[in-house]
Structures are given as structure tokens and as C-alpha cells.
Amino acid sequence: MPTIAQQLLRRKPTTATGAAEEVHLRRSIGLFSLTMIGVGGTLGTGIFFILSQAVPVAGPGVIWSFVIGGVVAGLTALCYAEMAGAVPASGSTYSYAYATLGEGTAMAVGACLLLEYGVSTAAVAVGWSQYVNQLLQNVLGWQLPVQLSQAPEQGGIVNIPAVIVIVLCSLLLLRGARESTTVNSIMVVVKIAVVLFFCAIAFTGWNTDHFHNFAPAGFAGIVGGAGIIFFSFVGLDSVSTAGEEAKNPKRNLPLAIMFALIIIVVLYVLTSVAALGAQAPDKFADQDAGLAAILQNIIGSAWPGTIVAIGAIISIFSVTLVVLYGQTRILFAMSRDGMIPPVFAKVNPRSMTPVQNTLIVMVATSILAAVIPIDFLAEMTSIGTLVAFLVVSLGVILLRVREPELERGFRLPLGWTIPILSIVGCIAIITQLRLITIVVFVIWTAAFLVFYWFYGRTHSKLQVGPGVVDAEVPYTSNFAQPSKSEIREAAQRRRAGRK
């Protein structure tokens, strides 16, 4: 029986063991669809509604907030690219932490990811609700009453549209991964077109005066704005959750992550510049469906705002779909490892999707979206995302030390420089978040670790027993580290097995 320390620090192999009884998902997602998962899970949140939360904090300096967020996300995306090419498994950061930092850390990261994906699903669903109301006002001349479209803290009772979008996305996911990614790719193309349409009209209302007091709260305000909008980069992580369903994952996952990042950052910065040039910073505060409202004020007519509202509804639906997908795949990986109950790893033989898993996530995120306001949801998502990004960057360093001969689809340049800068950037943004956000995050993580202590620790598939092969021990234990010759021999065996 392993000691408690050995249980907390035991690691999974970086490649699948190939156990016949292990449940696997179908590989059906190509490079284009993977890139669209990244863009679809990211483009929409930061553009269509988060400006109303970030501009009051950073002022016009929110442009630099997006740049800072993009740089930190970019450094981390490169780390994700190396990890995804080396450990192409379902489960994203959780799987990477399990392979590099050990089981206890992986469980803490799992808590971060459940917070990141579950809460971001609720956050973007609330943003979707705002644009549904804007569209109803423009087309029909009426809106849903506040009681049915806002959280209790904002004067409502329940946010019905937010619940509806989560249910619709869940039903689509139940159809299968290939069908879901095809629909997502179509929606991504539409929303890129809508974003460019917004920018083209917004630049006609350009007013240089809007940038005079560029950073009213100084650099601290800009970094604080970066903390708020950082959750809008969560889609990059979504790409890596598809590791087990991706075709040629060692090549396609790194490429998809980098392509998605470039598209996202360019569009974020372009849209924030256009929006601030067209509307004074003091008008962004608590503005629902902000981009649609900006166009209506410029043109003096409802039709441009209606187009943007339709685009936003499609866009945010796409984001909700992707983050729901990521949430279910992380739970699938954790359940298959024995960390959480087996119900989350049960796969429907016809659709090859985790049906019960998806339904449970649908109910939980619907409750969050129905009753919690968007500003708190956004910050909670940001801290979960930042901690997950930090762990991936640290994992890149550790995996290079422990398994230098491991085949990688992509290898970071400049040695450890990029992972270290990524870690520093994540810590800098975390320090700017509100204290209540950090406290709630710590409490949530602690509660999840308590669950691990009483359940996951004893149900882990790495728990020593009759099924453990002696030859695997060097790759599943932090105490029995393999020698360089053992690492080279293992790499040769893996390569030989693929031929």
C-alpha cells in the first residue's frame, strides 16, 4: 500500500497504457475544426459584453488590458502547444498536471478547470441573454421583463434566456462531437464577419477625444482590466480538451492553438479600439448589449444594432457550446482516472458522447446562469483560467527535465524563458483580482481537495493493486525517477509501437 505522499505525488504515464477496458472517444476532429474550437470558445466573450465591465476599471487603457491579456495568453498558448503535442489526452490542464506534477496537484487543477469552464459557461450565457433582449426590442418593440432576464442581485428572479442557451448547446453536444464542431465552425465564420461589420461602422464615428484620459486609474487599472477580461481567453484551453478526439493530435493541437490565438488577439484589439473611438468611456458602465447600442447611436437607426445582436447571439451560442464541451471532457478524463464517480465516464455507444455527464453539467451551469450576476462570474472564471495556465507553464519545465526524449509535436524556443514569463504574467494578473474572488477560489479548491482525500485518493486507477505492472512504476511515481537510459528506451519502445 503506498504512503499518503506517494498517493499525492504519483503520476500518470505521458502516453496511454492502452488498457483494453479503458473507455476512449472517437477521433473525428481535424485541424480546421480544432482551430474553430479555439476561436469559437474565445471570440465573443471579450468583445460582445465584457467591455461594459472592463472599461469602467481601465478606461480607454482597456486596449492595453487586451494586449497584456493577449501576451500572457500567448506565452501560455505556446506552453499549451508543447504540452498538447507531448500529452495529447482528453482533460487539458488536468491531464498535463497529472503527468508532470502528480495526482494531488492534478486534483487541485481539476477544481480550477471546473470553476473555469462551469462558471464561464454561466457567464457567457448571461451575456447571451442581454443580446436576446436587445434583438427582441429592435424587432418586436418589447423585451423580456427584468424578473425573467436578470439575476436576483440585479433586480430579477431568474435569467430564463441564459438557461435556454445552455440547454440548447447541451442537446447539440449529445448529438456527437463531429456534429457539434461542424455547427461551431459555421457559427465562427458568421461571427467573425459580424465583428468586422461592427468595426467598419464604428470607425465612421471615430472621436479622438474619447482617448484623452487614457488610463484614469493608471497602470493598476489597466492590469485590473486585464484580470476582468482574461476569462475571454478560456477558449485556447478548450482546444486541448479535444486531445482524445483530434486527428493527428501531436501536429494539429499545437497548430490549432497558435492559429486561434493570432485570430483572437487581432480581433479583440481591433474591436476595442473601434468601440472606444465611437463611444465615450463613461457610457460603457452597466451597458447591456454594448456593441449593438454603439452602432445604433452612430447610425441613428436600429438595423445595424440588430445585425450585431444577431451576430452576438450566434457568437455567444458558439462560446457556450465550446466551454460546455470542454467541461464535459475534463469531467470525463477525471472520472476515467477514478478521481470522481464513474457516471461521468459513461459513453453512449451510438453517439460516442458522455450523455449523463453532459446532462449533469447542463443542470449545474443552468442554475449558476439563472441566479448569479455576470461581473462575479467573469472574475471567478479569470482566476480559474490563470491558475490553470500557470500550471501548464510549470508542467512544460518539469516534463523537459523528466522526459527530455519524449516525442513532441512542437517544442518551445528559448529554453525555459517563455514558461517562466507566462508564470510571472499569470501571478501578476491574479494579484489584481478582488480579494473576495481569491477567497472564494481558495475555499472552492480546498473543498475539492477534501473530496479527493475521501474519494479520489482511494479510487484512483493508479492505486497500487494487481493491475499495476512493475515496468510502469518509474513513470507513475515521483520517488522512483527513471534514468536517462530508461527514458531513451521507453521513447524507442513508443516509436516502435507506432510503426
Side-chain angles (χ1 to χ4, degrees):
M1 185 71 179
T3 66
I4 292 175
Q6 288 173 323
Q7 289 175 328
L8 291 172
L9 295 172
R10 58 193 172 196
R11 294 182 288 115
K12 284 189 69 175
T14 51
T15 54
T17 58
E21 69 276 8
E22 193 170 75
V23 180
H24 292 279
L25 302 173
R26 180 186 298 141
R27 292 199 181 277
S28 59
I29 307 175
L31 175 59
F32 177 77
S33 293
L34 285 171
T35 304
M36 292 300 99
I37 286 175
V39 178
T42 309
L43 181 61
T45 51
I47 288 178
F48 286 105
F49 62 84
I50 200 60
L51 286 175
S52 64
Q53 307 297 323
V55 172
V57 174
V62 76
I63 296 169
W64 282 108
S65 298
F66 275 109
V67 172
I68 291 172
V71 168
V72 175
L75 294 171
T76 311
L78 292 172
C79 296
Y80 264 103
E82 177 167 323
M83 288 295 287
V87 189
S90 184
S92 182
T93 315
Y94 159 78
S95 296
Y96 305 154
Y98 211 159
T100 57
L101 297 169
E103 190 171 279
T105 303
M107 198 62 172
V109 170
C112 296
L113 292 175
L114 295 184
L115 189 67
E116 172 186 342
Y117 281 88
V119 177
S120 66
T121 298
V124 295
V126 173
W128 191 82
S129 175
Q130 296 176 3
Y131 278 94
V132 166
N133 254 344
Q134 181 69 40
L135 182 63
L136 291 174
Q137 179 64 44
N138 288 0
V139 175
L140 302 177
W142 64 273
Q143 295 184 342
L144 290 170
V146 172
Q147 291 85 347
L148 299 179
S149 59
Q150 295 285 4
E153 188 177 313
Q154 296 173 319
I157 298 174
V158 61
N159 195 326
I160 296 291
V163 174
I164 290 173
V165 70
I166 290 174
V167 172
L168 291 176
C169 289
S170 299
L171 293 176
L172 181 57
L173 287 175
L174 292 176
R175 293 281 299 171
R178 184 170 59 186
E179 293 83 354
S180 299
T181 54
T182 299
V183 172
N184 175 67
S185 298
I186 295 170
M187 290 190 291
V188 169
V189 172
V190 171
K191 69 180 176 181
I192 289 175
V194 170
V195 167
L196 295 176
F197 168 80
F198 166 81
C199 293
I201 295 181
F203 277 121
T204 66
W206 184 268
N207 187 338
T208 307
D209 293 341
H210 295 167
F211 296 91
H212 280 174
N213 188 15
F214 189 76
F219 184 71
I222 292 175
V223 177
I228 293 173
I229 61 94
F230 200 82
F231 92 104
S232 60
F233 290 95
V234 68
L236 297 172
D237 193 10
S238 299
V239 177
S240 61
T241 65
E244 198 163 308
E245 293 163 284
K247 298 176 182 177
N248 193 6
K250 286 184 177 290
R251 169 187 176 273
N252 288 343
L253 287 176
L255 287 176
I257 290 170
M258 290 185 283
F259 289 162
L261 174 70
I262 293 169
I263 294 169
I264 289 158
V265 173
V266 169
L267 289 175
Y268 273 12
V269 173
L270 181 65
T271 306
S272 60
V273 170
L276 283 158
Q279 178 173 274
D282 59 352
K283 294 183 179 179
F284 280 88
D286 300 321
Q287 184 181 47
D288 287 348
L291 299 194
I294 289 172
L295 293 194
Q296 289 178 200
N297 292 335
I298 292 174
I299 302 297
S301 173
W303 71 265
T306 301
I307 292 176
V308 170
I310 293 172
I313 288 171
I314 295 172
S315 171
I316 299 171
F317 186 98
S318 170
V319 176
T320 308
L321 178 67
V322 170
V323 291
L324 267 176
Y325 169 83
Q327 176 78 100
T328 59
R329 270 44 182 185
I330 290 164
L331 288 169
F332 171 84
M334 295 178 72
S335 178
R336 193 173 58 181
D337 291 337
M339 297 293 100
I340 58 178
V343 64
F344 292 97
K346 291 182 178 178
V347 173
N348 182 282
R350 184 185 62 82
S351 63
M352 294 302 293
T353 58
V355 173
Q356 293 165 287
N357 177 344
T358 303
L359 293 175
I360 293 170
V361 170
M362 179 187 75
V363 172
T365 52
S366 294
I367 293 171
L368 287 175
V371 299
I372 299 180
I374 193 171
D375 54 349
F376 186 71
L377 289 171
E379 281 205 30
M380 290 309 301
T381 304
S382 288
I383 191 168
T385 305
L386 286 160
V387 173
F389 281 10
L390 189 155
V391 170
V392 167
S393 303
L394 181 59
V396 168
I397 296 173
L398 292 177
L399 197 59
R400 283 193 177 187
V401 172
R402 286 172 175 155
E403 299 195 42
E405 302 294 329
L406 180 66
E407 181 182 345
R408 291 163 170 83
F410 169 78
R411 190 177 185 89
L412 284 171
L414 305 177
W416 293 2
T417 305
I418 291 175
I420 290 173
L421 289 175
S422 175
I423 292 170
V424 171
C426 289
I427 293 173
I429 296 178
I430 289 172
T431 60
Q432 298 302 312
L433 296 174
R434 289 184 298 174
L435 180 60
I436 183 62
T437 302
I438 297 173
V439 170
V440 171
F441 170 76
V442 171
I443 292 173
W444 163 254
T445 305
F448 211 74
L449 288 175
V450 169
F451 175 80
Y452 166 73
W453 182 263
F454 288 103
Y455 182 90
R457 186 170 58 91
T458 55
H459 288 76
S460 169
K461 295 298 176 65
L462 292 186
Q463 182 75 5
V464 173
V468 177
V469 181
D470 290 342
E472 294 177 356
V473 172
Y475 300 96
T476 57
S477 169
N478 280 281
F479 295 97
Q481 293 296 331
S483 65
K484 289 186 178 181
S485 62
E486 288 176 318
I487 293 172
R488 282 193 293 271
E489 289 171 5
Q492 290 170 358
R493 287 196 299 272
R494 285 193 288 266
R495 285 193 290 268
R498 285 191 293 270
K499 293 180 180 178

